[in-house]
Each structure stands twice: as C-alpha cells, then as structure tokens.
Amino acid sequence: MIMQQLVTAIALLVAALVSPAAAPRDNGQAHWVGTWASSQMVPVGRFSQADLTDATVRQLVRVSLGGERIRIRLSNAFGTRPLRIEAIRVARSADPATARIAPGSGRAVTFAGDDAVLVPAGAEAVSDPVDLAVPPLGHLAISFYLPQPPSPRTSHPGSRTTTFLVHGNRSAAPNLPGARTIGHWTQLAGVDVTGAPRAAAIVAFGDSITDGFGIRPNSDQRWPDILATRLQADPATRHLAVLNQGISGNRVLSDGFGPNALARFERDVIGQPGVKFVILLEGINDIGMFAAPAARRALVANLIAAYGRMIARARARGIKVIGATILPFGGSDYRPGAEADRRALNAWIRAPGHFDAVIDFDATMRDPASPMRMRRAFDSGDGLHPSAAGYRAMGEAVPLALFR
C-alpha cells in the first residue's frame, strides 16, 4: 500500500513538472529582439498624483518587427520608491486612435507567474513571455492598473500617440468610454518579440527630430516610422526592427529634457535586446543653446569627444554605429553663430574613420539656394523641425544597404 502511494505521488509530481501549465514559459533559448521602445525621463506636469491613484492606463504602441510571442518591459528608472503595477494586459488594438481592443486578443501579462509586479526604484521589470501573435507594423494596446501613483513618474512625454486614463481597475475592458486622453507614455519602456536567429534591432538615437516633434497624433510619421515601413517592405531587411530613442530637447553634453545622451546611452542603446545598429543624430540642441564665446570654443571639441566615446562603447558590444549629419536650422530662434559649429560637426561626421557609416540628412534636407535652411517643403514652419514631408524624406534617405 505504501509503495503504491509512493508510485502514485511520484507520477503526479512528474506530471506536474512536465505539464504545460507548470513548465517554464521561457527556457532561455528564445532570441528576443526589441520591436518598440521609448526613452525614459521625468516629465513635467500633465498627470497629477491624484490622476494616477486608483487608475487604469491604456497606452498604444506600433511595433516594427512582428512575432508570435512578446514580452513587456515596465520601468521605474527615475522613481524614488518601489512601484506596484497590477492587472497588466496586452491586446491588439482595434483602432490606434481609440481605446478599443480587437475582440479575443486580450492577454494577461505576468511577471514570474504573478499578475502584479513590484518594480524597485531605479529598476525595470521584464514580463514573462506572452503568446500573442503581432504582425509587423501592428498596433498594441497595453493596459495596467496603478493602486498608488509613481513617485516621481518615469515617462516619455512626446509619445505622439493617445494614452487613455480612467479611475478604477479597467485593464481588461474592451473599450474605455469617457477616458481622459493625453499624449504621454508612462512607465512603459519597451516591447520585445521572439525572432529568427538573424533578427536584430536598429536604434534611432536622438532628440526632437527623431522623437517626431510636430507630427499629427497617431499618424506614425516620424522618420524612424518611415524607415521601419521600408525595412518591412524589403524581403532582405524584414528581420530588422527600429527602436525610436529620441527625446525632444535632448542634448549630448547637458541634462535638461531627459538625461544627457552620454548618460542614457547604456540604457537606451546598448541595453536594448537584439541591438546591432545605432543611428546617432544628436547635437543640434547643444550648439543651438550655447551663446558664450568661451563655451563655444570648446563646444565642438567636447561634442566630438562625446561622439567618440559613444562610438567606442557601441563597438565594444558589436554594434555598428552610423552617424547622421545635423540638419540646417537657419530661420529658427537658435543662435545664428551656431552655423559654423554645425558645419564643423558635420565635416567630422562625414570624414572617414570616425563612424562605421554616414547618413547625410543635411544633404537631403537643405535648400540648395540657401544651405543654412531646410527646403521649404520639408520645413514645419519653425526653421528647426521637419514637416511630415520632411520626416518622410529623412526616412527614405536612409540606405537600406547599411543593414544588409
């Protein structure tokens, strides 16, 4: 009798260990690649503590690379205390301009098997794999419930997409009628997919011109969006994702709008899953904001040294570094004397032996009759940021051969 009970117990234990429900969701062999990401910072205003108390947040993102399984990355990078996030859900979006989700596509997102996660201050949490097929360039709706607000928020204020906010736990709701809307992503750092062994990510690293300042909400018209669409249309590059790590107002050497580029390079570039390429387009805010002659004399040299450090850090991890020339900004409210600095930086970027390759956005965007300015059709009107046509021209100017 005792022997029979022992055999039965062993059989039940073995069955439990090998059953799909009990088996580990990820055996460590999956090749994960980032398909969407956003740069994190501490935003100013918009949400109050009361807004994010007992609140459901539904955020929309457009992936670049498709896959059969995904995982979600939540961030408390700038929080000063642990943040509890509950009832995390993901679904395919039924309409990227609304909170509606596609029927039957909703999935619970767990962290170590739990439907809630406590993210320590300064940390990021990566979910368990979720069995949800997402097509290339498809839209996801990611929802979660905050019983208590972040302190402070870790966010990306320039989402150019609509985020929906309601009070109470409504994460699984098929729609959120009456929700408050805002153009922010909050606590959401990335989405990864499982890919073929050669699948890889390209990080577009920059400022407001990469972040897509001025585009219509929910239109996916940033130049990295255009690049992602082109990559998916070409059979030779369909294995590549594009991660937009632009922050409006960001600078290379100084904090201000988000951490400076050198400070965030490790997290926003090197730490991204599957990254093999980075396109570096940053520096316009450094040269445009400095006015003191003494600071100007050292500025270009310091920027070049910073570029060199980022290049070395990326190459040490096997990442190809592609430099992008700085766009003309004549006619903007940036200081006129910065044009000499812009030309000096662009000359260094173009010179052989510095970057692994170069994308000459300056040549694409400048007015041949007035090279200090953008072409009129590519200018949003402020002399600094491209129009939708300008962003499209930038995305189409990237040679896909760089990634083959």
Side-chain angles (χ1 to χ4, degrees):
M1 183 67 175
I2 294 175
M3 181 60 70
Q4 184 178 358
Q5 291 174 336
L6 180 60
V7 170
T8 301
I10 292 172
L12 289 172
L13 177 61
V14 170
L17 289 173
V18 302
S19 68
R25 298 295 310 278
D26 185 357
N27 61 9
Q29 301 303 310
H31 177 51
W32 289 99
V33 177
T35 185
W36 174 88
S38 72
S39 298
Q40 304 301 301
M41 60 180 285
V42 177
V44 178
R46 301 299 181 93
F47 286 137
S48 69
Q49 293 293 86
D51 289 333
L52 292 176
T53 301
D54 180 33
T56 293
V57 182
R58 178 165 295 173
Q59 306 179 77
L60 303 180
V61 304
R62 188 184 88 150
V63 304
S64 48
L65 187 67
E68 296 299 314
R69 304 176 89 196
I70 65 172
R71 64 185 186 186
I72 308 298
R73 288 183 282 125
L74 301 177
S75 180
N76 194 24
F78 296 98
T80 57
R81 66 186 185 194
L83 175 66
R84 183 172 176 83
I85 304 175
E86 300 179 359
I88 305 108
R89 304 277 299 185
V90 63
R92 288 188 293 272
S93 170
D95 176 0
T98 74
R100 292 190 299 113
I101 62 174
S105 68
R107 303 287 189 276
V109 180
T110 60
F111 290 76
D114 199 337
D115 59 3
V117 61
L118 187 68
V119 189
E124 182 178 286
V126 181
S127 79
D128 301 327
V130 180
D131 293 322
L132 177 64
V134 55
L137 309 177
H139 290 85
L140 293 175
I142 299 168
S143 310
F144 52 73
Y145 172 68
L146 296 173
Q148 297 296 325
S151 180
R153 272 192 306 130
T154 294
S155 177
H156 186 89
S159 68
R160 329 292 172 199
T161 67
T162 305
T163 289
F164 301 87
L165 175 69
V166 295
H167 286 293
N169 187 347
R170 303 280 305 283
S171 291
N175 198 2
L176 299 175
R180 178 183 173 185
T181 60
I182 194 167
H184 271 202
W185 288 309
T186 187
Q187 317 302 143
L188 185 59
V191 179
D192 308 329
V193 296
T194 52
R198 70 176 187 143
I202 303 163
V203 174
F205 187 73
D207 47 46
S208 58
I209 294 172
T210 296
D211 204 16
F213 181 89
I215 69 164
R216 290 185 296 105
N218 308 309
S219 65
D220 301 317
Q221 292 181 321
R222 313 164 191 84
W223 74 258
D225 297 328
I226 306 303
L227 174 59
T229 301
R230 292 178 60 222
L231 290 167
Q232 291 304 313
D234 188 333
T237 56
R238 284 179 185 161
H239 61 289
L240 294 171
V242 178
L243 307 179
N244 189 329
Q245 298 285 30
I247 295 179
S248 292
N250 198 233
R251 287 181 279 178
V252 175
L253 300 174
S254 303
D255 289 348
F257 292 91
N260 66 77
L262 281 173
R264 67 187 184 94
F265 194 78
E266 191 78 24
R267 177 178 62 245
D268 289 352
V269 177
I270 293 173
Q272 295 301 307
V275 60
K276 291 297 180 184
F277 307 90
V278 58
I279 301 171
L280 176 57
L281 174 61
E282 187 145 15
I284 194 169
N285 294 318
D286 294 79
I287 63 175
M289 293 180 184
F290 273 103
R296 285 184 57 193
R297 283 192 290 272
L299 178 60
V300 172
N302 289 337
L303 281 169
I304 288 172
Y307 290 158
R309 288 197 289 274
M310 288 187 279
I311 291 168
R313 287 161 66 184
R315 283 178 176 163
R317 302 294 185 89
I319 300 170
K320 181 177 180 178
V321 192
I322 301 166
T325 52
I326 297 173
L327 277 60
F329 51 83
S332 74
D333 58 3
Y334 275 179
R335 59 183 182 86
E339 175 63 13
D341 298 337
R342 186 183 76 89
R343 291 185 179 183
L345 281 174
N346 282 348
W348 187 89
I349 291 167
R350 292 186 182 106
H354 298 149
F355 286 97
D356 296 314
V358 174
I359 301 168
D360 202 341
F361 284 143
D362 171 45
T364 298
M365 302 296 286
R366 69 186 177 222
D367 184 345
S370 180
M372 292 176 58
R373 296 173 176 265
M374 275 188 278
R375 296 173 185 264
R376 182 173 298 178
F378 293 166
D379 188 347
S380 66
D382 66 3
L384 181 64
H385 298 99
S387 62
Y391 286 127
R392 176 164 293 280
M394 291 178 68
E396 292 176 346
V398 179
L400 300 190
L402 293 176
F403 314 112
R404 290 174 181 153

